[in-house]
Amino acid sequence: VTYIEAQNKCSVLYFKDGKSITSGIKFSDLLSKCSINFQQCSRSYAVNFDYVLGFKWHKYIMAGGEQIPISRSNYKTLTEKYKKYLEI
């Protein structure tokens, strides 16, 4: 799973091969079961740092070319977490 998107009361899981699956599990419940590599970057998105290529102004750039928004209020914290992840 490269990233997860909340849609209504469902969650959509996106995979590196471009496919996606819609799940009836709430976004918050799904995130609580994910590994530490997943970070919620906005109200509706969580990314898997294993598939983030980098970031630019308020967006993570994913391996498949997708641009996932980063919350303005948490931009500094989230980008610092990503930089720390790269050091590991």
Side-chain angles (χ1 to χ4, degrees):
V1 176
T2 57
Y3 67 98
I4 303 169
E5 178 183 10
Q7 289 185 352
N8 299 321
K9 294 184 180 186
C10 298
S11 300
V12 181
L13 291 83
Y14 293 90
F15 297 91
K16 69 179 184 177
D17 63 2
K19 295 181 182 178
S20 64
I21 294 176
T22 302
S23 167
I25 302 171
K26 283 181 14 180
F27 184 67
S28 58
D29 293 343
L30 191 58
L31 279 181
S32 69
K33 297 180 185 331
C34 290
S35 73
I36 191 112
N37 290 350
F38 277 88
Q39 290 293 315
Q40 185 172 357
C41 53
S42 69
R43 183 176 288 171
S44 301
Y45 289 95
V47 296
N48 182 343
F49 280 161
D50 290 342
Y51 297 98
V52 174
L53 296 178
F55 59 91
K56 63 179 184 179
W57 189 247
H58 296 288
K59 293 179 183 176
Y60 282 121
I61 309 302
M62 304 301 293
E66 301 91 350
Q67 296 185 13
I68 307 299
I70 303 172
S71 160
R72 279 187 271 160
S73 59
N74 294 325
Y75 180 77
K76 184 176 181 178
T77 305
L78 290 167
T79 54
E80 286 175 3
K81 282 184 181 183
Y82 178 64
K83 288 175 186 176
K84 270 191 171 181
Y85 168 79
L86 291 176
E87 293 174 1
I88 295 175

